[in-house]
Amino acid sequence: MKPGRNDPCPCGSGKKYKQCCLQAQQPQQTEDFLWHQIRRAINGLPEKLLKFSQNHWGSDALLEAWGDFTLWSEEEFSPDTPHMQLFMPWYFFNWRPDYSIPDTPRKETTGEAFLGKHNRQLDPLLKRYIEQCCVAPFSFFDIVSVRSGDGFLLRDILTGEECYATEHSASVHAKAGKIVFGKLVKVDHVAILEASAAFFIPPGEKFAILELRKELCALENPPSHDLLGKYEHEMLAIYQAVYDRL
């Protein structure tokens, strides 16, 4: 039976329930409520962005982006690729046409173009989520601790920032000490992994990430999100090398 607000707290602290564990539960309930609101708002978003990108950039854009993502390896694109949950968010929110051609004007991403066309028709929460997806960089994250079925505390290896990510499914198999490669998106007080590799990177693969951090810190300490965005292909190279070894 749930205790009343003025009942003794079941944790045994001697305080009233309203002055003890109820206070701790309320922020969690607020966070869960917002998380569910976000999940409802973004339901069907990948399909909408894919259709929009095909109309906006043309049918060849996806394969051009795939070439950039795989660093022009010989791997052919397939809907069943294990890279899909990384590649599609990268294609929507990071890839820019003619990205690899020097001295070309900086073009917008699919997400930015989508916002520009549908800005007034979008649900405000969906709009804020897409805006954050467009500015959040990819990075490597240490898993500091795990609440299985709820989420995990992540530390950005490159910037040192810590953030609790609500991630119900992936957290079931996560273990502290492993590394996540992906994109962490924050809306108010809730953070969600918009993109993540299909596997957790073992800590033994950390050397190349630390070398990249050393390079970035020589430019900015701590590195900014804008700087991380400029080094995303170096991150993809590390990810691809780890994937090939594993």
PDB file of all heavy atoms in Angstrom, residues 19-50:
ATOM      1  N   GLN A  19       8.349  14.455   3.353  1.00  0.00           N
ATOM      2  CA  GLN A  19       9.612  15.147   3.590  1.00  0.00           C
ATOM      3  C   GLN A  19      10.819  14.296   3.234  1.00  0.00           C
ATOM      4  O   GLN A  19      11.953  14.736   3.400  1.00  0.00           O
ATOM      5  CB  GLN A  19       9.699  15.573   5.062  1.00  0.00           C
ATOM      6  CG  GLN A  19       8.625  16.566   5.478  1.00  0.00           C
ATOM      7  CD  GLN A  19       8.590  16.804   6.972  1.00  0.00           C
ATOM      8  OE1 GLN A  19       8.984  15.941   7.767  1.00  0.00           O
ATOM      9  NE2 GLN A  19       8.122  17.990   7.375  1.00  0.00           N
ATOM     10  N   CYS A  20      10.569  13.090   2.761  1.00  0.00           N
ATOM     11  CA  CYS A  20      11.689  12.168   2.489  1.00  0.00           C
ATOM     12  C   CYS A  20      11.600  11.616   1.071  1.00  0.00           C
ATOM     13  O   CYS A  20      11.859  12.335   0.115  1.00  0.00           O
ATOM     14  CB  CYS A  20      11.683  11.058   3.544  1.00  0.00           C
ATOM     15  SG  CYS A  20      13.180  10.035   3.547  1.00  0.00           S
ATOM     16  N   CYS A  21      11.217  10.360   0.926  1.00  0.00           N
ATOM     17  CA  CYS A  21      11.309   9.694  -0.378  1.00  0.00           C
ATOM     18  C   CYS A  21      10.347  10.260  -1.419  1.00  0.00           C
ATOM     19  O   CYS A  21      10.605  10.160  -2.621  1.00  0.00           O
ATOM     20  CB  CYS A  21      11.069   8.192  -0.218  1.00  0.00           C
ATOM     21  SG  CYS A  21      12.453   7.339   0.593  1.00  0.00           S
ATOM     22  N   LEU A  22       9.220  10.861  -0.973  1.00  0.00           N
ATOM     23  CA  LEU A  22       8.297  11.462  -1.939  1.00  0.00           C
ATOM     24  C   LEU A  22       8.982  12.583  -2.708  1.00  0.00           C
ATOM     25  O   LEU A  22       8.783  12.733  -3.912  1.00  0.00           O
ATOM     26  CB  LEU A  22       7.051  11.989  -1.230  1.00  0.00           C
ATOM     27  CG  LEU A  22       5.992  12.642  -2.151  1.00  0.00           C
ATOM     28  CD1 LEU A  22       5.492  11.645  -3.185  1.00  0.00           C
ATOM     29  CD2 LEU A  22       4.845  13.199  -1.325  1.00  0.00           C
ATOM     30  N   GLN A  23       9.833  13.347  -2.026  1.00  0.00           N
ATOM     31  CA  GLN A  23      10.546  14.441  -2.691  1.00  0.00           C
ATOM     32  C   GLN A  23      11.514  13.902  -3.741  1.00  0.00           C
ATOM     33  O   GLN A  23      11.721  14.513  -4.780  1.00  0.00           O
ATOM     34  CB  GLN A  23      11.305  15.279  -1.659  1.00  0.00           C
ATOM     35  CG  GLN A  23      10.406  16.062  -0.722  1.00  0.00           C
ATOM     36  CD  GLN A  23      11.191  16.891   0.274  1.00  0.00           C
ATOM     37  OE1 GLN A  23      12.382  16.645   0.495  1.00  0.00           O
ATOM     38  NE2 GLN A  23      10.540  17.871   0.877  1.00  0.00           N
ATOM     39  N   ALA A  24      12.121  12.758  -3.450  1.00  0.00           N
ATOM     40  CA  ALA A  24      13.057  12.154  -4.409  1.00  0.00           C
ATOM     41  C   ALA A  24      12.333  11.576  -5.611  1.00  0.00           C
ATOM     42  O   ALA A  24      12.872  11.538  -6.719  1.00  0.00           O
ATOM     43  CB  ALA A  24      13.879  11.067  -3.716  1.00  0.00           C
ATOM     44  N   GLN A  25      11.096  11.112  -5.400  1.00  0.00           N
ATOM     45  CA  GLN A  25      10.342  10.484  -6.484  1.00  0.00           C
ATOM     46  C   GLN A  25       9.767  11.504  -7.458  1.00  0.00           C
ATOM     47  O   GLN A  25       9.649  11.229  -8.649  1.00  0.00           O
ATOM     48  CB  GLN A  25       9.198   9.644  -5.904  1.00  0.00           C
ATOM     49  CG  GLN A  25       9.658   8.403  -5.159  1.00  0.00           C
ATOM     50  CD  GLN A  25       8.518   7.715  -4.433  1.00  0.00           C
ATOM     51  OE1 GLN A  25       7.361   8.121  -4.557  1.00  0.00           O
ATOM     52  NE2 GLN A  25       8.839   6.685  -3.675  1.00  0.00           N
ATOM     53  N   GLN A  26       9.439  12.693  -6.967  1.00  0.00           N
ATOM     54  CA  GLN A  26       8.771  13.675  -7.813  1.00  0.00           C
ATOM     55  C   GLN A  26       9.610  14.130  -9.003  1.00  0.00           C
ATOM     56  O   GLN A  26       9.097  14.194 -10.129  1.00  0.00           O
ATOM     57  CB  GLN A  26       8.320  14.867  -6.964  1.00  0.00           C
ATOM     58  CG  GLN A  26       7.128  14.522  -6.078  1.00  0.00           C
ATOM     59  CD  GLN A  26       6.784  15.599  -5.083  1.00  0.00           C
ATOM     60  OE1 GLN A  26       7.626  16.443  -4.740  1.00  0.00           O
ATOM     61  NE2 GLN A  26       5.548  15.587  -4.603  1.00  0.00           N
ATOM     62  N   PRO A  27      10.931  14.448  -8.835  1.00  0.00           N
ATOM     63  CA  PRO A  27      11.733  14.782 -10.027  1.00  0.00           C
ATOM     64  C   PRO A  27      11.806  13.642 -11.024  1.00  0.00           C
ATOM     65  O   PRO A  27      11.774  13.854 -12.236  1.00  0.00           O
ATOM     66  CB  PRO A  27      13.118  15.106  -9.440  1.00  0.00           C
ATOM     67  CG  PRO A  27      12.846  15.491  -8.017  1.00  0.00           C
ATOM     68  CD  PRO A  27      11.693  14.644  -7.603  1.00  0.00           C
ATOM     69  N   GLN A  28      11.886  12.378 -10.506  1.00  0.00           N
ATOM     70  CA  GLN A  28      11.935  11.227 -11.391  1.00  0.00           C
ATOM     71  C   GLN A  28      10.637  11.097 -12.182  1.00  0.00           C
ATOM     72  O   GLN A  28      10.637  10.808 -13.383  1.00  0.00           O
ATOM     73  CB  GLN A  28      12.191   9.947 -10.579  1.00  0.00           C
ATOM     74  CG  GLN A  28      12.254   8.672 -11.417  1.00  0.00           C
ATOM     75  CD  GLN A  28      13.427   8.671 -12.381  1.00  0.00           C
ATOM     76  OE1 GLN A  28      14.528   9.057 -12.015  1.00  0.00           O
ATOM     77  NE2 GLN A  28      13.197   8.258 -13.617  1.00  0.00           N
ATOM     78  N   GLN A  29       9.501  11.348 -11.510  1.00  0.00           N
ATOM     79  CA  GLN A  29       8.218  11.272 -12.192  1.00  0.00           C
ATOM     80  C   GLN A  29       8.103  12.355 -13.268  1.00  0.00           C
ATOM     81  O   GLN A  29       7.579  12.112 -14.353  1.00  0.00           O
ATOM     82  CB  GLN A  29       7.086  11.412 -11.167  1.00  0.00           C
ATOM     83  CG  GLN A  29       6.966  10.212 -10.230  1.00  0.00           C
ATOM     84  CD  GLN A  29       6.018  10.473  -9.063  1.00  0.00           C
ATOM     85  OE1 GLN A  29       5.580  11.603  -8.855  1.00  0.00           O
ATOM     86  NE2 GLN A  29       5.721   9.428  -8.300  1.00  0.00           N
ATOM     87  N   THR A  30       8.615  13.559 -12.960  1.00  0.00           N
ATOM     88  CA  THR A  30       8.605  14.642 -13.936  1.00  0.00           C
ATOM     89  C   THR A  30       9.463  14.297 -15.139  1.00  0.00           C
ATOM     90  O   THR A  30       9.090  14.531 -16.286  1.00  0.00           O
ATOM     91  CB  THR A  30       9.125  15.943 -13.293  1.00  0.00           C
ATOM     92  OG1 THR A  30       8.307  16.267 -12.173  1.00  0.00           O
ATOM     93  CG2 THR A  30       9.091  17.091 -14.287  1.00  0.00           C
ATOM     94  N   GLU A  31      10.633  13.694 -14.883  1.00  0.00           N
ATOM     95  CA  GLU A  31      11.529  13.292 -15.964  1.00  0.00           C
ATOM     96  C   GLU A  31      10.897  12.206 -16.822  1.00  0.00           C
ATOM     97  O   GLU A  31      10.960  12.255 -18.052  1.00  0.00           O
ATOM     98  CB  GLU A  31      12.846  12.796 -15.361  1.00  0.00           C
ATOM     99  CG  GLU A  31      13.886  12.380 -16.385  1.00  0.00           C
ATOM    100  CD  GLU A  31      15.210  12.013 -15.742  1.00  0.00           C
ATOM    101  OE1 GLU A  31      15.738  12.834 -14.981  1.00  0.00           O
ATOM    102  OE2 GLU A  31      15.690  10.898 -16.004  1.00  0.00           O
ATOM    103  N   ASP A  32      10.275  11.217 -16.177  1.00  0.00           N
ATOM    104  CA  ASP A  32       9.615  10.143 -16.923  1.00  0.00           C
ATOM    105  C   ASP A  32       8.487  10.695 -17.790  1.00  0.00           C
ATOM    106  O   ASP A  32       8.290  10.263 -18.932  1.00  0.00           O
ATOM    107  CB  ASP A  32       9.059   9.092 -15.961  1.00  0.00           C
ATOM    108  CG  ASP A  32      10.149   8.255 -15.309  1.00  0.00           C
ATOM    109  OD1 ASP A  32      11.288   8.276 -15.821  1.00  0.00           O
ATOM    110  OD2 ASP A  32       9.862   7.600 -14.299  1.00  0.00           O
ATOM    111  N   PHE A  33       7.731  11.659 -17.253  1.00  0.00           N
ATOM    112  CA  PHE A  33       6.619  12.256 -17.996  1.00  0.00           C
ATOM    113  C   PHE A  33       7.130  12.955 -19.250  1.00  0.00           C
ATOM    114  O   PHE A  33       6.578  12.783 -20.348  1.00  0.00           O
ATOM    115  CB  PHE A  33       5.867  13.240 -17.101  1.00  0.00           C
ATOM    116  CG  PHE A  33       4.723  13.930 -17.788  1.00  0.00           C
ATOM    117  CD1 PHE A  33       3.570  13.241 -18.124  1.00  0.00           C
ATOM    118  CD2 PHE A  33       4.807  15.285 -18.121  1.00  0.00           C
ATOM    119  CE1 PHE A  33       2.507  13.869 -18.765  1.00  0.00           C
ATOM    120  CE2 PHE A  33       3.759  15.929 -18.759  1.00  0.00           C
ATOM    121  CZ  PHE A  33       2.607  15.219 -19.079  1.00  0.00           C
ATOM    122  N   LEU A  34       8.212  13.733 -19.113  1.00  0.00           N
ATOM    123  CA  LEU A  34       8.768  14.427 -20.262  1.00  0.00           C
ATOM    124  C   LEU A  34       9.346  13.438 -21.264  1.00  0.00           C
ATOM    125  O   LEU A  34       9.201  13.623 -22.479  1.00  0.00           O
ATOM    126  CB  LEU A  34       9.851  15.419 -19.818  1.00  0.00           C
ATOM    127  CG  LEU A  34      10.545  16.209 -20.929  1.00  0.00           C
ATOM    128  CD1 LEU A  34       9.539  16.966 -21.789  1.00  0.00           C
ATOM    129  CD2 LEU A  34      11.577  17.178 -20.334  1.00  0.00           C
ATOM    130  N   TRP A  35       9.997  12.383 -20.776  1.00  0.00           N
ATOM    131  CA  TRP A  35      10.563  11.364 -21.666  1.00  0.00           C
ATOM    132  C   TRP A  35       9.457  10.758 -22.532  1.00  0.00           C
ATOM    133  O   TRP A  35       9.616  10.609 -23.748  1.00  0.00           O
ATOM    134  CB  TRP A  35      11.255  10.270 -20.856  1.00  0.00           C
ATOM    135  CG  TRP A  35      11.929   9.230 -21.708  1.00  0.00           C
ATOM    136  CD1 TRP A  35      13.186   9.284 -22.239  1.00  0.00           C
ATOM    137  CD2 TRP A  35      11.364   7.980 -22.139  1.00  0.00           C
ATOM    138  NE1 TRP A  35      13.440   8.147 -22.977  1.00  0.00           N
ATOM    139  CE2 TRP A  35      12.350   7.338 -22.934  1.00  0.00           C
ATOM    140  CE3 TRP A  35      10.151   7.351 -21.935  1.00  0.00           C
ATOM    141  CZ2 TRP A  35      12.134   6.091 -23.507  1.00  0.00           C
ATOM    142  CZ3 TRP A  35       9.934   6.100 -22.512  1.00  0.00           C
ATOM    143  CH2 TRP A  35      10.918   5.487 -23.292  1.00  0.00           C
ATOM    144  N   HIS A  36       8.323  10.420 -21.922  1.00  0.00           N
ATOM    145  CA  HIS A  36       7.218   9.838 -22.678  1.00  0.00           C
ATOM    146  C   HIS A  36       6.633  10.855 -23.653  1.00  0.00           C
ATOM    147  O   HIS A  36       6.229  10.494 -24.774  1.00  0.00           O
ATOM    148  CB  HIS A  36       6.134   9.325 -21.727  1.00  0.00           C
ATOM    149  CG  HIS A  36       6.492   8.040 -21.041  1.00  0.00           C
ATOM    150  ND1 HIS A  36       6.577   6.833 -21.707  1.00  0.00           N
ATOM    151  CD2 HIS A  36       6.803   7.772 -19.745  1.00  0.00           C
ATOM    152  CE1 HIS A  36       6.912   5.870 -20.869  1.00  0.00           C
ATOM    153  NE2 HIS A  36       7.060   6.411 -19.663  1.00  0.00           N
ATOM    154  N   GLN A  37       6.594  12.136 -23.260  1.00  0.00           N
ATOM    155  CA  GLN A  37       6.128  13.174 -24.179  1.00  0.00           C
ATOM    156  C   GLN A  37       7.036  13.274 -25.399  1.00  0.00           C
ATOM    157  O   GLN A  37       6.567  13.404 -26.530  1.00  0.00           O
ATOM    158  CB  GLN A  37       6.082  14.523 -23.456  1.00  0.00           C
ATOM    159  CG  GLN A  37       4.896  14.734 -22.546  1.00  0.00           C
ATOM    160  CD  GLN A  37       4.847  16.159 -22.037  1.00  0.00           C
ATOM    161  OE1 GLN A  37       5.834  16.698 -21.534  1.00  0.00           O
ATOM    162  NE2 GLN A  37       3.693  16.794 -22.168  1.00  0.00           N
ATOM    163  N   ILE A  38       8.342  13.223 -25.158  1.00  0.00           N
ATOM    164  CA  ILE A  38       9.305  13.295 -26.260  1.00  0.00           C
ATOM    165  C   ILE A  38       9.149  12.097 -27.183  1.00  0.00           C
ATOM    166  O   ILE A  38       9.117  12.243 -28.416  1.00  0.00           O
ATOM    167  CB  ILE A  38      10.750  13.372 -25.727  1.00  0.00           C
ATOM    168  CG1 ILE A  38      10.968  14.690 -24.972  1.00  0.00           C
ATOM    169  CG2 ILE A  38      11.755  13.242 -26.867  1.00  0.00           C
ATOM    170  CD1 ILE A  38      12.285  14.755 -24.231  1.00  0.00           C
ATOM    171  N   ARG A  39       9.024  10.896 -26.596  1.00  0.00           N
ATOM    172  CA  ARG A  39       8.890   9.696 -27.417  1.00  0.00           C
ATOM    173  C   ARG A  39       7.633   9.772 -28.296  1.00  0.00           C
ATOM    174  O   ARG A  39       7.656   9.358 -29.460  1.00  0.00           O
ATOM    175  CB  ARG A  39       8.820   8.437 -26.535  1.00  0.00           C
ATOM    176  CG  ARG A  39      10.050   8.179 -25.677  1.00  0.00           C
ATOM    177  CD  ARG A  39      11.341   8.190 -26.444  1.00  0.00           C
ATOM    178  NE  ARG A  39      11.375   7.230 -27.537  1.00  0.00           N
ATOM    179  CZ  ARG A  39      12.410   7.066 -28.348  1.00  0.00           C
ATOM    180  NH1 ARG A  39      13.493   7.818 -28.200  1.00  0.00           N
ATOM    181  NH2 ARG A  39      12.367   6.176 -29.299  1.00  0.00           N
ATOM    182  N   ARG A  40       6.548  10.305 -27.745  1.00  0.00           N
ATOM    183  CA  ARG A  40       5.327  10.454 -28.554  1.00  0.00           C
ATOM    184  C   ARG A  40       5.535  11.487 -29.660  1.00  0.00           C
ATOM    185  O   ARG A  40       5.084  11.302 -30.787  1.00  0.00           O
ATOM    186  CB  ARG A  40       4.156  10.854 -27.662  1.00  0.00           C
ATOM    187  CG  ARG A  40       3.563   9.725 -26.827  1.00  0.00           C
ATOM    188  CD  ARG A  40       2.205  10.103 -26.263  1.00  0.00           C
ATOM    189  NE  ARG A  40       2.318  11.199 -25.307  1.00  0.00           N
ATOM    190  CZ  ARG A  40       2.497  11.031 -24.002  1.00  0.00           C
ATOM    191  NH1 ARG A  40       2.599   9.804 -23.496  1.00  0.00           N
ATOM    192  NH2 ARG A  40       2.573  12.068 -23.198  1.00  0.00           N
ATOM    193  N   ALA A  41       6.218  12.583 -29.330  1.00  0.00           N
ATOM    194  CA  ALA A  41       6.412  13.666 -30.298  1.00  0.00           C
ATOM    195  C   ALA A  41       7.268  13.215 -31.483  1.00  0.00           C
ATOM    196  O   ALA A  41       7.041  13.648 -32.615  1.00  0.00           O
ATOM    197  CB  ALA A  41       7.047  14.875 -29.617  1.00  0.00           C
ATOM    198  N   ILE A  42       8.265  12.352 -31.234  1.00  0.00           N
ATOM    199  CA  ILE A  42       9.181  11.966 -32.309  1.00  0.00           C
ATOM    200  C   ILE A  42       8.770  10.668 -32.993  1.00  0.00           C
ATOM    201  O   ILE A  42       9.476  10.184 -33.876  1.00  0.00           O
ATOM    202  CB  ILE A  42      10.633  11.840 -31.793  1.00  0.00           C
ATOM    203  CG1 ILE A  42      10.776  10.683 -30.789  1.00  0.00           C
ATOM    204  CG2 ILE A  42      11.092  13.155 -31.169  1.00  0.00           C
ATOM    205  CD1 ILE A  42      12.202  10.476 -30.300  1.00  0.00           C
ATOM    206  N   ASN A  43       7.636  10.109 -32.600  1.00  0.00           N
ATOM    207  CA  ASN A  43       7.162   8.883 -33.231  1.00  0.00           C
ATOM    208  C   ASN A  43       6.945   9.117 -34.733  1.00  0.00           C
ATOM    209  O   ASN A  43       6.235  10.031 -35.136  1.00  0.00           O
ATOM    210  CB  ASN A  43       5.854   8.431 -32.578  1.00  0.00           C
ATOM    211  CG  ASN A  43       5.367   7.100 -33.133  1.00  0.00           C
ATOM    212  OD1 ASN A  43       6.146   6.176 -33.337  1.00  0.00           O
ATOM    213  ND2 ASN A  43       4.076   7.002 -33.377  1.00  0.00           N
ATOM    214  N   GLY A  44       7.582   8.300 -35.557  1.00  0.00           N
ATOM    215  CA  GLY A  44       7.450   8.421 -37.012  1.00  0.00           C
ATOM    216  C   GLY A  44       8.383   9.437 -37.643  1.00  0.00           C
ATOM    217  O   GLY A  44       8.357   9.622 -38.864  1.00  0.00           O
ATOM    218  N   LEU A  45       9.218  10.096 -36.837  1.00  0.00           N
ATOM    219  CA  LEU A  45      10.110  11.130 -37.376  1.00  0.00           C
ATOM    220  C   LEU A  45      11.102  10.592 -38.406  1.00  0.00           C
ATOM    221  O   LEU A  45      11.307  11.227 -39.445  1.00  0.00           O
ATOM    222  CB  LEU A  45      10.853  11.834 -36.231  1.00  0.00           C
ATOM    223  CG  LEU A  45      11.823  12.940 -36.642  1.00  0.00           C
ATOM    224  CD1 LEU A  45      11.086  14.062 -37.374  1.00  0.00           C
ATOM    225  CD2 LEU A  45      12.567  13.483 -35.424  1.00  0.00           C
ATOM    226  N   PRO A  46      11.768   9.446 -38.187  1.00  0.00           N
ATOM    227  CA  PRO A  46      12.724   8.955 -39.195  1.00  0.00           C
ATOM    228  C   PRO A  46      12.089   8.773 -40.571  1.00  0.00           C
ATOM    229  O   PRO A  46      12.708   9.116 -41.590  1.00  0.00           O
ATOM    230  CB  PRO A  46      13.191   7.610 -38.616  1.00  0.00           C
ATOM    231  CG  PRO A  46      13.014   7.766 -37.140  1.00  0.00           C
ATOM    232  CD  PRO A  46      11.769   8.584 -36.983  1.00  0.00           C
ATOM    233  N   GLU A  47      10.869   8.239 -40.606  1.00  0.00           N
ATOM    234  CA  GLU A  47      10.198   8.029 -41.890  1.00  0.00           C
ATOM    235  C   GLU A  47       9.916   9.373 -42.579  1.00  0.00           C
ATOM    236  O   GLU A  47      10.082   9.508 -43.798  1.00  0.00           O
ATOM    237  CB  GLU A  47       8.892   7.266 -41.688  1.00  0.00           C
ATOM    238  CG  GLU A  47       9.063   5.817 -41.243  1.00  0.00           C
ATOM    239  CD  GLU A  47       9.327   5.677 -39.746  1.00  0.00           C
ATOM    240  OE1 GLU A  47       9.289   6.713 -39.032  1.00  0.00           O
ATOM    241  OE2 GLU A  47       9.593   4.544 -39.305  1.00  0.00           O
ATOM    242  N   LYS A  48       9.490  10.368 -41.798  1.00  0.00           N
ATOM    243  CA  LYS A  48       9.219  11.695 -42.363  1.00  0.00           C
ATOM    244  C   LYS A  48      10.497  12.331 -42.901  1.00  0.00           C
ATOM    245  O   LYS A  48      10.508  12.934 -43.978  1.00  0.00           O
ATOM    246  CB  LYS A  48       8.595  12.592 -41.302  1.00  0.00           C
ATOM    247  CG  LYS A  48       7.212  12.159 -40.859  1.00  0.00           C
ATOM    248  CD  LYS A  48       6.693  13.055 -39.740  1.00  0.00           C
ATOM    249  CE  LYS A  48       5.333  12.578 -39.238  1.00  0.00           C
ATOM    250  NZ  LYS A  48       4.862  13.402 -38.087  1.00  0.00           N
ATOM    251  N   LEU A  49      11.595  12.206 -42.135  1.00  0.00           N
ATOM    252  CA  LEU A  49      12.858  12.807 -42.569  1.00  0.00           C
ATOM    253  C   LEU A  49      13.417  12.104 -43.795  1.00  0.00           C
ATOM    254  O   LEU A  49      13.994  12.758 -44.677  1.00  0.00           O
ATOM    255  CB  LEU A  49      13.873  12.758 -41.424  1.00  0.00           C
ATOM    256  CG  LEU A  49      13.607  13.696 -40.245  1.00  0.00           C
ATOM    257  CD1 LEU A  49      14.618  13.452 -39.131  1.00  0.00           C
ATOM    258  CD2 LEU A  49      13.658  15.152 -40.689  1.00  0.00           C
ATOM    259  N   LEU A  50      13.256  10.791 -43.872  1.00  0.00           N
ATOM    260  CA  LEU A  50      13.749  10.053 -45.034  1.00  0.00           C
ATOM    261  C   LEU A  50      12.994  10.471 -46.296  1.00  0.00           C
ATOM    262  O   LEU A  50      13.608  10.726 -47.340  1.00  0.00           O
ATOM    263  CB  LEU A  50      13.606   8.553 -44.807  1.00  0.00           C
ATOM    264  CG  LEU A  50      14.116   7.658 -45.939  1.00  0.00           C
ATOM    265  CD1 LEU A  50      15.598   7.913 -46.207  1.00  0.00           C
ATOM    266  CD2 LEU A  50      13.880   6.181 -45.607  1.00  0.00           C
TER     267      LEU A  50
END
